[in-house]
Amino acid sequence: DDTFGKGSASVKLEAGGDSLVARVLRSGEGSLLNNVQEVSAESFQRTDLAKTFGIRSVACVPHEGGVLEYGTTQQWSILPKAFADEVRVAVGEAGAESGDPAKC
């Protein structure tokens, strides 16, 4: 079975690049594209793949030195609370390591 996840596995996203994943990795802040089917390929390199599988929204959150990406066929208008909590934990951990208070 082909899936959005399997199709995404063959796409190389550079950590220093302009992809959503790279931007979240660098910023340490979660991000949401509420309708990836309407954004340019420059904003989301896998727009065509998302269209193929009916993916509407993609959320990315920092997690343990990397980024977790969630795609859904639903259209989200805000970053779901569970993902916002993940961002808060990641930022809190980074703040604790640097001595800075957590900010979200």
Side-chain angles (χ1 to χ4, degrees), residues 9-58:
S10 65
V11 177
K12 185 175 182 179
L13 301 173
E14 298 290 335
D18 291 328
S19 71
L20 177 65
V21 172
R23 292 191 307 266
V24 168
L25 180 64
R26 286 193 306 272
S27 73
E29 296 179 11
S31 186
L32 170 69
L33 291 175
N34 68 336
N35 192 350
V36 296
Q37 296 194 14
E38 293 181 358
V39 300
S40 69
E42 291 80 32
S43 296
F44 188 74
Q45 292 84 342
R46 294 166 287 142
T47 298
D48 289 340
L49 189 61
K51 287 178 182 178
T52 298
F53 292 100
I55 302 298
R56 301 285 293 182
S57 295
V58 172

